[in-house]
Amino acid sequence: MAQLVAAGAPELPEGWFYRVRSTNIRALKVEIREQRRFRSRLVADTWVFERPEESAEESIVAACARAFKGWQEADARRAAYLATTAYIGDHDPKGGRK
């Protein structure tokens, strides 16, 4: 991961890493993964778009940035949803039965 971060990819928290993998359709995919005790968990992923004006490293770094942005946006949506769950339940305007 240090090589990708040095090239410009966003730095991930401790215990998280990038995985660049080949797929069965002859394309590359970048994944953000969280290391667990025995395995890792997929958090976000995106395709690597190969553009003629970019080097291979730039294409992979751009995919890392897209995956990171998608992960951050999903995390923000999840946090907003969890904040609304505090209001789950009955809300009687009279304060309940007496």
Side-chain angles (χ1 to χ4, degrees), residues 7-20:
E11 192 163 348
L12 298 175
E14 186 71 28
W16 300 61
F17 62 95
Y18 291 109
R19 176 179 288 167
V20 180

Side-chain angles (χ1 to χ4, degrees), residues 14-78:
E14 186 71 28
W16 300 61
F17 62 95
Y18 291 109
R19 176 179 288 167
V20 180
R21 66 178 188 86
S22 180
T23 64
N24 59 358
I25 59 169
R26 292 183 42 188
L28 295 179
K29 208 168 202 183
V30 169
E31 299 175 345
I32 296 177
R33 301 188 73 87
E34 177 186 17
Q35 185 62 53
R36 299 268 176 115
R37 184 172 180 182
F38 296 110
R39 305 182 100 192
S40 61
R41 175 180 74 95
L42 176 65
V43 176
D45 64 349
T46 190
W47 296 99
V48 175
F49 302 123
E50 300 171 23
R51 296 187 175 97
E53 66 273 4
E54 290 181 340
S55 69
E57 183 179 74
E58 290 171 333
S59 297
I60 290 177
V61 167
C64 289
R66 281 194 315 277
F68 185 81
K69 182 180 178 191
W71 171 49
Q72 294 296 308
E73 289 172 353
D75 203 37
R77 285 191 303 270
R78 193 167 25 269

